[in-house]
Structure formats: C-alpha cells, structure tokens
C-alpha cells in the first residue's frame, strides 16, 4: 500500500465530478464537505476504489429521481465519511454478511444490472487496510447509509 498526503475533500469532489460529467449518475449527487482541507495519509487509489464502489452501488439501487449524499468531517482523531442514498435499502437480514467475500448477497440493480455482491467485501478490506472501520445503517425501502471512520494519522 502506498500512502501519500491526500486532501479527502478534493478526492471526493473529483470523483463526484467524474460521475456527473460522464452523465453516469442520473440521481442528485450532493456533497457536504468542510471548507478546510481534510488531509490524511491514504492510498489514493484504494480509497478511490472505496468511493467508486459505494457510488456505483448507490446508482444501481437508487431510482433516477433519488439522492446520493457524501459528507466528510473530522471527529477527534478520525475522519468520517458518510455515504447515503434514498434507494431501495438493504434488508436487515443481509447486514451481518454484507462485508463477507463469499456471502452471496448480490442483488440485481433497479435496471437489471448484475451484481456478485463482491464490491462491499472489497470496500471493507480496503478500509481495514487503512486502519479504519465501516458500518451500514439501512432498512429495506428506506435507503442505505455507510459510515467509514479512518484514523487521521497513519500508524
């Protein structure tokens, strides 16, 4: 893993811009980022993959009239990224296995997109590699919210 000093705000903003400019996202994409930079030691490619997987899942499972919101802020010695959508949500019975590699929790997207359910297990591993933690908060038909906590300073 190659860590460098990264402004998480810029990384999130450029990722959102990529999706919007490419017209990949039909949903309203809202960013709630602090004015001051959120700089921490990250592997930029791996955290980009985390963001990419979460955004693409939200696109897949949120109606085109829905919202995808990404916020980031510092809380103590951690940076918190909250990624939420107004999509179909995740049934509570899948939560326990959501981040397991062979959990078989893949579901078809709203437009029939195929999913093997591997994306979130990869997200989980990449967040863990950074010494962080990810949790899910969701109910069926009520959207999904993922909370990622990353240490401000690398060990």
């Amino acid at each position: 893993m190659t860590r460098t000093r990264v402004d998480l705000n810029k990384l999130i903003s450029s990722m959102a811009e990529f999706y919007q400019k490419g017209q990949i996202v039909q949903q309203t994409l809202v960013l709630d980022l602090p004015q001051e930079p959120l700089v921490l030691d990250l592997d930029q490619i791996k955290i980009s993959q985390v963001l990419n997987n979460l955004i693409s899942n939200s696109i897949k499972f949120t109606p085109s009239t829905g919202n995808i919101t990404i916020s980031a802020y510092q809380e103590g010695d951690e940076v918190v990224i909250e990624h939420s959508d107004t999509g179909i949500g995740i049934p509570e019975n899948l939560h326990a296995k959501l981040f397991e590699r062979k959990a078989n929790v893949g579901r078809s997207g709203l437009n029939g997109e195929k999913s093997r359910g591997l994306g979130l297990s990869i997200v989980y591993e990449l967040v863990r590699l950074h010494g962080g933690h990810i949790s899910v908060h969701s109910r069926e038909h009520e959207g999904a919210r993922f909370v990622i906590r990353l240490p401000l300073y690398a060990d």
Side-chain angles (χ1 to χ4, degrees), residues 73-151:
Y73 53 91
Q74 185 176 337
E75 191 174 89
D77 59 356
E78 293 180 319
V79 170
V80 180
I81 304 167
E82 292 189 25
H83 177 99
S84 60
D85 63 50
T86 57
I88 62 173
I90 303 165
E92 290 184 53
N93 66 318
L94 296 180
H95 290 197
K97 294 185 175 193
L98 207 54
F99 300 118
E100 293 176 12
R101 191 169 287 274
K102 295 186 185 199
N104 197 22
V105 293
R107 302 185 293 163
S108 293
L110 295 180
N111 295 314
E113 304 96 332
K114 297 287 182 231
S115 170
R116 294 187 306 269
L118 277 176
L120 289 176
S121 68
I122 293 168
V123 164
Y124 177 81
E125 289 302 324
L126 294 177
V127 168
R128 275 197 47 230
L129 274 175
H130 283 85
H133 176 74
I134 183 169
S135 58
V136 61
H137 310 271
S138 181
R139 284 200 185 109
E140 207 164 7
H141 311 298
E142 294 183 19
R145 182 169 66 100
F146 292 88
V147 178
I148 298 170
R149 295 182 168 277
L150 297 170

Side-chain angles (χ1 to χ4, degrees), residues 15 18-19 47-57:
M15 183 74 63
F18 167 79
Y19 275 91
I47 292 299
S48 294
Q49 187 175 358
V50 166
L51 295 169
N52 186 46
N53 283 6
L54 291 174
I55 293 169
S56 61
N57 276 355

Side-chain angles (χ1 to χ4, degrees), residues 10-21:
K10 285 184 180 172
L11 183 63
I12 291 170
S13 295
S14 65
M15 183 74 63
E17 192 176 310
F18 167 79
Y19 275 91
Q20 289 168 321
K21 279 191 173 164

